[in-house]
Amino acid sequence: MPQKENKLDNLCNLLENIILQHGREAPTPGQKPAKVDGATALPPPRAGTQNAVPSTSGGLPASLHSALEAGKDLSKEELERERKARKEAKKARKKGPGKENVEERKETQNSGQGSAPATTVKGSPVKGAPTTPVKGAPTTPVKGAPTTPVKGAPTTPVKGAPTTPVKGAPTTPVKGAPTTPVKGAAAPAIPVKGAAAAATPVKGAVAKPVKVAAAKSATAGAAVPSSILVVDLRYGKESSEQAGVEVAKPAGQDSTAGKSKADLRRERREKQEAQRQAKLALKEQQEEQKKQKDKQVVMEKAKASSKAKATGEGTRKARVRRASSRGSSERKVPLLGHLPQYSPNPPPHQVNSDSIHPAVLTVGLKMKYGVVEGATARVISMLAALKLFISDYRTPESCDLSRDMADKLKPNVDFLHACRPHAIAMDNAIRSVKHKINSIDPLTPEAQAKDELRGAIDEFVGENIILASSTIATHATTLIHDDVLLTFGYSALVCDVVEAVVKEGGKVSVVVADYPHPPSGAAMVQRLDRLGVPTYYRLVTDLSHIMSKVTKVVVEAEAVMMNGAVQAMCGTACLALAAATHHKPFIVLCQTYKFCNIDLTDSLVMNELGDANSMVSCPSQEHQGVLADWRDTQNLNVVRLVYDVTPAGLVTVLVTEQNVLPTSAVPVIIHRKYADILGQD
Amino acid sequence: MRQEAQAIVLAAGPGMRMTSLTSHTPKCLLPLGTLPMLCYPLHLLQQAGFSEVSVVVSEGQEQRVGKMVEQYGLKVDLDVAVVSTAHDPGTADSLRQIASKIKRSVEEVVVISSDLVTDVALQDVLDQHRSRGADLTMLTSPTPSLQTTPPGPKSKTHLNSDIICTEAGSGRLVYAVAGGDYDECVTLQSSLLNCAAPLLLSASTQDAHLYVMKRWLFDYVLNKESPCADMGSLKAEILPHIVSCQFTDHSSNDKLGLSGAVEREEWDDLVKKYNSSVVPSRHHSLAHLQPPVCLTFHHPGLCVRANTLHTYWHLNRKINELFNQVYPNSEWQLRHPTAVIIERAQVSEDSVVGGGTMVCEKTNIASSVVGKHCRINPLVRLSSSVLGDHVTLASGCVIENSLILASVERKCVIKNCIVTDSNKIEEGKTYSGEVLEATQDFA
């Protein structure tokens, strides 16, 4: 069973990525509370009204359109006012309005909603269809979804739907939903995500569902997605639930339950009902807590909140519009706004700057332009630059070396970060250098102190990289002998392992799975070729086929988290998933200096945005420029994440220089290794 | 603190391709727009953040060049070195002259010619140089096409473009010679063809005379024991030599001294081993690049060297349009506020008038450049012409498409002429298509 749960986890992560890739409303601070609401199944009045309006009024697309238009035309002051009102409302809600208020609101909500969900549930999408004369492609979303679950873009999801949510839904949502509704961090079973996904459209990520749908029916014209959007809006909760299900589809649970459609539908409804109730209960609990926490209640604010809710619709639309109409360069990808945005240009710098050492500048530029890639290479080149920085450093008269050098180091480190966000390994290396600087006795003469520091850096590289690599190779030979290995992209560490195995007389052959942006695996193939190892070069898209042929999967990690999750170049997690499916051991190589005392369960919280343009620029000439102007396409987001996270459960074994370890041993290593430094943090 | 780069402007060139102009004024001080030519490279360096610039000038010019910075509001400190003109100094001689002034702590040396007018951002060139780990970066640009015809007797306008061969993709420079030296055939070494990547050979690309060199390479070039020791020209001799060094086997060829001079970064091999980058550079794990790594930075935009009469004339005529590109963020105005233009004088929009100039009434100035402290008397018609500094045009002159660096007598008609000596002009005469310069023989 744990195996199963792990798989579920992975699916969740995948799901998340998919949602990500297709873009969604960013969890702007303003919306977070709303999300909580949604998760706790008060599909707030908005949803209710939304539902009600469309189901009753016939000419949907038109009205919606006009609404959008209206949102567009709202004057700025109005927008401003509305936003303020909403903010206040949120505050009020956070602070926890008085009991009566809450009661009141609940009542209104219930009444407002009571009818809406009821109708939707009873009326079900099928009924909704005739009443809603959807213009664009009314057939696909409306009919297709509920009745024929095996057809078309929006239908396919239904396949995965019955199995996944039914299992997970009733059990986990209670736990997952309220605590971590945004990221679904802790072992989030699918339903949670389903709920979150469902909540978003309700909340008025008006344009967003389009993206999910649009991306799915990539071939279909622009008209189809927009019509899908309309439908999503209409059905409110109901259809958005479907959206959640839709998202579940790609996770690839092919086990179609042999139930009839009606059964499916009933099941789904039951499950939804259960979820809703669970959420409601939770919400009540939360409200109670909030109330106790904060006794300040302002009636006006509550009123304002209700007002804001009424006007919220327009504001939301306006915000969506604004978000999409922002300058192409600064357009933030929804949900990924917290990550440092990619910029094609290096940070501004001047020749002969006083604060940034030229060697650091050079390394920064090399990282910026991708001349130095990979955590290990970046760490080494950074440390080489820091050594030069230390050599050229002169202590001013009135200062301690340790204090002043730390100050001088800061702009350099910041510059490196501005060029490209640090890899976790780099952070660790910097921390150890800083630690060394801080621990220098102020009485030490400058020359000696500098020697010590340079020596410490040499030692760091020697121990953690050079020695560690060879030790890892030795350890790995105990695991690998006559094998067909699968690896991903370029990894010097994997090369070392293969070399060691070959030296021991093992008969290995290696399949290098590669990803075309950038094709780093080509270099890997060349190196392996020089070793005389039979090598196959495949694209990672062939994974399902390759996996049955290989005996072991070996990859190098960029970082290993406290909870055993492995951060590696984007694409590694697919290998892990496929390996788990085919019951192939998944071996991760990692030097312990890349261990990190953070828990990470998904690829969202900590990641790096790469150059999205590198994805849309297709190497083949005739397809060049199809998506070149993607920044001008309103609803399209192209996202390139640099890393992904493989959950600990998918990692068979972790090969470090200390030993061959299970992932559960990571915290021990971290505590032992960083005892001195961690204590300081 | 270690410095990143130091800049050298080579301004000692005698202007061999425009001798009619340089007999009075050294080339680097010839007016371009209302500024001396040297201001342009200095401004380029200033824009990139250089606060100190070394300038090599020929004997006797150090005073004027030294004063220039204040005069034109530049914010760089000039360090002027002098090279004697006795033996017709080459660019390499100029560099040797200044070698002692290059600081030990500098990582890169930027060498730039005083006649370069370009809108390239020097910072980009430096960035590429550093990020790709190059030892030498050369700025290249398409050979400019010039629509204007210069004044003076008609001559074959021969723009010397260069023959430059680069590796496609990486932009690595594998062959570079001056096109003028090869009229019919160019011989390429067969070792060039061993480069895996396809090669791009272009005869329509010019070397813009802006080089960024690693310190060790600069030292090697100026080392008395290196094969470069007796080379006179940076472009014609030293550069091809450095480029060809990329293909020699260093291990067997120790007498060159290059392998000993090569400065390697610490842990270079280690970085190379772990690097998964696909960007071609010295750090690319597949790279077969041998030091010295020579790269080109191709700038497709404006890049003109005012080293011939033709380009000089072209730049002057177009300076009105180009000024904001090639001289950005400066307070200098082409039509200077201290110029006095009588209201009844007609000065067209595309004309440039320098500071302290007096334009009297009933004059007509169209698409022309008028230098500083000129005096244009009444009834002068000036069209498509360039006036130097301190030129007086007597009343009644008609001047078309001419380059005037000396005062002109009354009622002259001058068309398509270059005037550098006022003694040559008589009142009321008409000149066409001539070069009116001081002849040497009367002395």
Side-chain angles (χ1 to χ4, degrees):
Chain A
M1 264 300 127
Q3 184 78 340
K4 268 253 165 77
E5 269 199 6
N6 279 330
K7 271 187 197 167
L8 270 180
D9 275 14
N10 286 309
L11 284 175
C12 292
N13 282 342
L14 256 185
L15 266 182
E16 241 159 326
N17 282 337
I18 288 156
I19 298 171
L20 269 182
Q21 300 281 347
H22 298 321
R24 255 173 191 274
E25 177 82 318
T28 48
Q31 276 180 332
K32 259 179 203 157
K35 208 163 245 184
V36 174
D37 267 10
T40 42
L42 304 182
R46 281 171 235 144
T49 49
Q50 241 177 30
N51 281 343
V53 170
S55 55
T56 48
S57 73
L60 261 166
S63 71
L64 196 108
H65 227 78
S66 62
L68 268 169
E69 289 298 320
K72 221 188 284 179
D73 295 339
L74 279 176
S75 69
K76 270 192 183 166
E77 296 99 307
E78 249 174 318
L79 285 181
E80 204 55 43
R81 216 183 319 132
E82 276 171 9
R83 216 179 317 135
K84 256 182 217 162
R86 287 199 76 214
K87 248 185 220 164
E88 274 179 2
K90 255 171 254 150
K91 238 186 263 168
R93 220 179 303 160
K94 259 188 201 159
K95 278 181 184 166
K99 257 187 194 175
E100 314 87 335
N101 272 328
V102 176
E103 230 72 323
E104 215 177 69
R105 256 174 56 214
K106 252 181 220 159
E107 260 170 32
T108 53
Q109 278 162 3
N110 282 340
S111 61
Q113 208 208 320
S115 60
T119 48
T120 39
V121 171
K122 265 180 225 153
S124 90
V126 191
K127 261 187 201 166
T131 55
T132 56
V134 182
K135 246 192 257 160
T139 53
T140 35
V142 178
K143 266 188 223 156
T147 54
T148 56
V150 203
K151 242 195 260 162
T155 55
T156 30
V158 183
K159 255 192 210 171
T163 54
T164 36
V166 170
K167 260 182 224 157
T171 56
T172 39
V174 185
K175 254 186 249 160
T179 52
T180 55
V182 184
K183 299 242 155 88
I190 278 160
V192 179
K193 238 150 256 155
T200 35
V202 177
K203 248 166 279 142
V206 176
K208 298 313 164 183
V210 182
K211 269 172 229 154
V212 180
K216 241 154 250 166
S217 58
T219 46
V224 177
S226 68
S227 69
I228 292 174
L229 153 71
V230 169
V231 171
D232 271 350
L233 263 178
R234 287 299 158 50
Y235 295 150
K237 187 93 199 202
E238 178 72 21
S239 74
S240 57
E241 204 69 62
Q242 275 173 14
V245 171
E246 260 177 54
V247 179
K249 161 202 69 174
Q253 288 226 348
D254 349 17
S255 57
T256 355
K259 294 168 191 169
S260 77
K261 287 160 213 159
D263 280 356
L264 288 181
R265 228 178 295 145
R266 205 182 314 125
E267 264 183 21
R268 205 161 49 221
R269 243 171 263 140
E270 276 167 13
K271 177 203 69 202
Q272 283 167 7
E273 207 47 54
Q275 276 177 322
R276 219 170 283 149
Q277 245 134 47
K279 281 178 206 159
L280 220 85
L282 249 160
K283 163 91 187 183
E284 263 164 20
Q285 264 184 3
Q286 275 185 343
E287 289 284 342
E288 282 293 325
Q289 282 170 357
K290 269 185 200 166
K291 263 180 269 160
Q292 279 165 4
K293 256 185 209 167
D294 215 336
K295 276 166 195 163
Q296 276 193 358
V297 187
V298 187
M299 292 289 268
E300 280 92 308
K301 276 189 183 171
K303 260 177 210 165
S305 83
S306 62
K307 212 191 284 171
K309 263 180 235 154
T311 52
E313 189 63 39
T315 329
R316 254 174 283 128
K317 269 174 202 162
R319 193 189 297 155
V320 171
R321 298 213 88 258
R322 241 183 307 123
S324 52
S325 64
R326 237 181 286 158
S328 57
S329 55
E330 54 188 290
R331 186 168 79 177
K332 285 199 172 180
V333 182
L335 259 188
L336 295 176
H338 63 288
L339 298 178
Q341 297 298 302
Y342 178 84
S343 142
N345 303 314
H349 54 280
Q350 287 266 301
V351 176
N352 297 335
S353 138
D354 289 333
S355 55
I356 298 165
H357 191 273
V360 175
L361 185 69
T362 307
V363 170
L365 290 171
K366 279 178 180 165
M367 290 181 192
K368 174 80 227 173
Y369 293 117
V371 173
V372 175
E373 285 272 3
T376 316
R378 287 172 73 192
V379 166
I380 298 169
S381 52
M382 180 190 71
L383 288 178
L386 289 186
K387 265 182 85 174
L388 285 176
F389 163 81
I390 290 166
S391 300
D392 291 337
Y393 172 81
R394 296 277 173 279
T395 320
E397 283 294 314
S398 55
C399 285
D400 279 354
L401 177 134
S402 60
R403 191 170 299 174
D404 186 59
M405 190 185 270
D407 287 350
K408 294 258 169 68
L409 185 64
K410 192 170 182 303
N412 289 283
V413 172
D414 288 348
F415 179 81
L416 283 182
H417 189 83
C419 283
R420 190 181 159 184
H422 290 160
I424 285 172
M426 286 168 72
D427 277 331
N428 286 346
I430 291 169
R431 198 181 303 143
S432 89
V433 170
K434 277 187 181 161
H435 178 67
K436 203 76 204 169
I437 291 174
N438 286 339
S439 58
I440 277 187
D441 184 6
L443 296 177
T444 329
E446 184 183 297
Q448 193 192 330
K450 279 158 60 171
D451 278 345
E452 271 178 34
L453 284 175
R454 280 189 302 241
I457 292 178
D458 284 342
E459 200 182 309
F460 185 91
V461 172
E463 266 181 23
N464 288 303
I465 294 170
I466 303 173
L467 266 179
S469 301
S470 58
T471 319
I472 286 173
T474 321
H475 284 319
T477 50
T478 59
L479 300 172
I480 301 164
H481 203 64
D482 299 336
D483 275 308
V484 183
L485 300 179
L486 171 65
T487 187
F488 181 65
Y490 181 86
S491 160
L493 207 49
V494 174
C495 266
D496 284 352
V497 167
V498 172
E499 194 174 356
V501 173
V502 169
K503 251 185 208 160
E504 299 252 310
K507 290 195 183 70
V508 282
S509 51
V510 183
V511 184
V512 178
D514 202 5
Y515 173 70
H517 308 295
S520 63
M524 183 78 173
V525 173
Q526 287 207 339
R527 275 197 69 177
L528 290 171
D529 188 49
R530 255 177 270 149
L531 293 177
V533 177
T535 310
Y536 306 88
Y537 183 67
R538 305 290 291 266
L539 281 183
V540 77
T541 41
D542 299 349
L543 208 54
S544 61
H545 170 68
I546 309 167
M547 199 51 89
S548 55
K549 307 269 195 288
V550 302
T551 55
K552 270 162 197 156
V553 184
V554 185
V555 296
E556 183 183 346
E558 292 278 297
V560 175
M561 301 299 156
M562 184 76 112
N563 60 350
V566 170
Q567 191 187 49
M569 296 322 285
C570 209
T572 310
C574 320
L575 262 71
L577 267 182
T581 317
H582 287 83
H583 306 291
K584 301 286 161 69
F586 187 77
I587 302 169
V588 175
L589 313 176
C590 188
Q591 296 99 336
T592 51
Y593 82 98
K594 292 179 181 171
F595 283 20
C596 171
N597 65 332
I598 305 176
D599 283 348
L600 211 56
T601 48
D602 60 36
S603 318
L604 294 190
V605 180
M606 280 174 63
N607 211 322
E608 185 188 332
L609 287 174
D611 182 9
N613 278 336
S614 72
M615 286 171 73
V616 296
S617 63
C618 183
S620 82
Q621 284 297 321
E622 58 262 41
H623 300 297
Q624 196 88 49
V626 174
L627 281 178
D629 55 347
W630 65 272
R631 283 177 201 277
D632 302 331
T633 316
Q634 284 266 314
N635 293 328
L636 177 64
N637 287 303
V638 180
V639 180
R640 168 138 172 67
L641 286 175
V642 174
Y643 307 113
D644 64 11
V645 172
T646 308
L650 292 184
V651 179
T652 316
V653 80
L654 201 59
V655 183
T656 70
E657 73 265 24
Q658 308 230 349
N659 214 334
V660 178
L661 302 166
T663 49
S664 51
V666 174
V668 183
I669 302 253
I670 291 178
H671 281 300
R672 226 196 282 163
K673 191 172 176 83
Y674 294 118
D676 48 347
I677 298 177
L678 282 179
Q680 283 195 342
D681 275 9
Chain B
M1 186 76 180
R2 179 181 290 253
Q3 278 208 322
E4 194 184 330
Q6 183 163 359
I8 303 173
V9 180
L10 300 178
M16 296 298 286
R17 296 185 190 85
M18 44 206 291
T19 43
S20 51
L21 305 182
T22 51
S23 51
H24 288 283
T25 323
K27 186 175 93 170
C28 63
L29 295 177
L30 278 176
L32 194 55
T34 55
L35 293 157
M37 201 187 279
L38 181 57
C39 282
Y40 292 88
L42 289 182
H43 187 74
L44 184 71
L45 294 168
Q46 181 189 316
Q47 285 292 108
F50 285 94
S51 55
E52 289 170 40
V53 176
S54 306
V55 183
V56 191
V57 296
S58 50
E59 263 175 337
Q61 305 306 330
E62 58 269 26
Q63 297 282 326
R64 286 176 73 181
V65 171
K67 268 188 264 169
M68 214 182 67
V69 172
E70 286 173 41
Q71 206 176 340
Y72 297 99
L74 291 165
K75 293 178 192 72
V76 289
D77 289 335
L78 282 198
D79 180 4
V80 183
V82 178
V83 62
S84 100
T85 45
H87 314 290
D88 185 19
T91 40
D93 297 317
S94 295
L95 283 183
R96 280 182 204 113
Q97 206 67 34
I98 209 164
S100 59
K101 300 208 175 185
I102 304 294
K103 290 180 200 123
R104 278 286 123 197
S105 60
V106 151
E107 293 209 326
E108 325 275 354
V109 180
V110 179
V111 180
I112 185 170
S113 167
S114 67
D115 52 20
L116 178 65
V117 177
T118 178
D119 60 352
V120 75
L122 188 56
Q123 194 75 62
D124 293 348
V125 184
L126 283 168
D127 281 0
Q128 188 205 290
H129 177 82
R130 281 182 298 235
S131 65
R132 302 274 288 277
D135 295 312
L136 174 95
T137 297
M138 178 173 94
L139 178 67
T140 60
S141 75
T143 311
S145 61
L146 313 175
Q147 288 91 16
T148 51
T149 33
K154 276 191 184 156
S155 59
K156 248 206 279 178
T157 49
H158 183 73
L159 272 180
N160 15 3
S161 65
D162 302 300
I163 296 171
I164 289 172
C165 187
T166 56
E167 202 178 22
S170 67
R172 190 170 191 201
L173 181 66
V174 294
Y175 187 74
V177 289
D181 303 345
Y182 297 82
D183 277 340
E184 278 166 5
C185 64
V186 174
T187 319
L188 293 174
Q189 283 179 319
S190 59
S191 59
L192 278 189
L193 302 176
N194 292 336
C195 282
L199 299 177
L200 292 176
L201 184 67
S202 164
S204 60
T205 310
Q206 66 164 357
D207 166 12
H209 267 220
L210 189 156
Y211 309 104
V212 186
M213 268 193 250
K214 275 258 158 48
R215 178 68 214 236
W216 70 262
L217 188 62
F218 190 76
D219 286 343
Y220 167 76
V221 165
L222 299 185
N223 190 341
K224 289 204 176 63
E225 279 149 32
S226 81
C228 302
D230 45 359
M231 294 182 181
S233 158
L234 182 60
K235 177 184 172 177
E237 295 173 82
I238 292 180
L239 186 71
H241 172 74
I242 295 175
V243 170
S244 69
C245 279
Q246 296 178 100
F247 302 98
T248 50
D249 189 2
H250 295 306
S251 53
S252 66
N253 219 345
D254 249 356
K255 64 173 185 263
L256 270 177
L258 189 67
S259 56
V262 171
E263 201 171 81
R264 285 184 183 279
E265 285 165 48
E266 200 175 10
W267 294 324
D268 210 11
D269 293 336
L270 210 54
V271 172
K272 200 166 160 179
K273 177 186 169 189
Y274 285 103
N275 195 356
S276 63
S277 166
V278 292
V279 179
S281 80
R282 165 184 292 191
H283 301 272
H284 179 23
S285 47
L286 286 181
H288 54 277
L289 302 185
Q290 291 279 332
V293 179
C294 303
L295 293 182
T296 55
F297 182 94
H298 192 72
H299 176 61
L302 178 74
C303 197
V304 185
R305 291 188 61 203
N307 60 346
T308 65
L309 180 62
H310 196 174
T311 49
Y312 175 69
W313 174 255
H314 174 81
L315 279 173
N316 249 322
R317 288 293 313 283
K318 299 282 177 194
I319 198 69
N320 192 44
E321 304 160 22
L322 304 177
F323 191 73
N324 284 334
Q325 289 176 49
V326 298
Y327 213 82
N329 308 327
S330 104
E331 290 155 18
W332 190 261
Q333 288 170 318
L334 278 184
R335 187 171 293 189
H336 206 264
T338 60
V340 181
I341 300 173
I342 304 289
E343 267 180 42
R344 285 164 66 198
Q346 289 181 359
V347 180
S348 70
E349 277 297 309
D350 55 350
S351 294
V352 169
V353 182
T357 287
M358 170 79 179
V359 181
C360 296
E361 73 276 3
K362 290 183 188 166
T363 52
N364 188 344
I365 299 176
S367 11
S368 298
V369 175
V370 179
K372 296 181 300 293
H373 306 290
C374 292
R375 183 180 171 83
I376 299 177
N377 284 322
L379 299 170
V380 167
R381 275 203 289 130
L382 187 67
S383 64
S384 317
S385 296
V386 175
L387 257 58
D389 298 342
H390 303 284
V391 172
T392 304
L393 295 185
S395 60
C397 285
V398 177
I399 294 169
E400 275 177 37
N401 201 43
S402 294
L403 180 56
I404 313 287
L405 297 179
S407 299
V408 172
E409 290 296 322
R410 305 170 93 208
K411 292 187 182 168
C412 283
V413 177
I414 300 177
K415 286 181 184 172
N416 289 327
C417 284
I418 301 172
V419 180
T420 59
D421 184 13
S422 53
N423 294 329
K424 285 278 172 173
I425 295 181
E426 293 170 33
E427 193 176 327
K429 274 215 173 183
T430 303
Y431 302 90
S432 176
E434 290 178 60
V435 178
L436 304 164
E437 57 179 333
T439 36
Q440 303 285 323
D441 50 15
F442 64 82

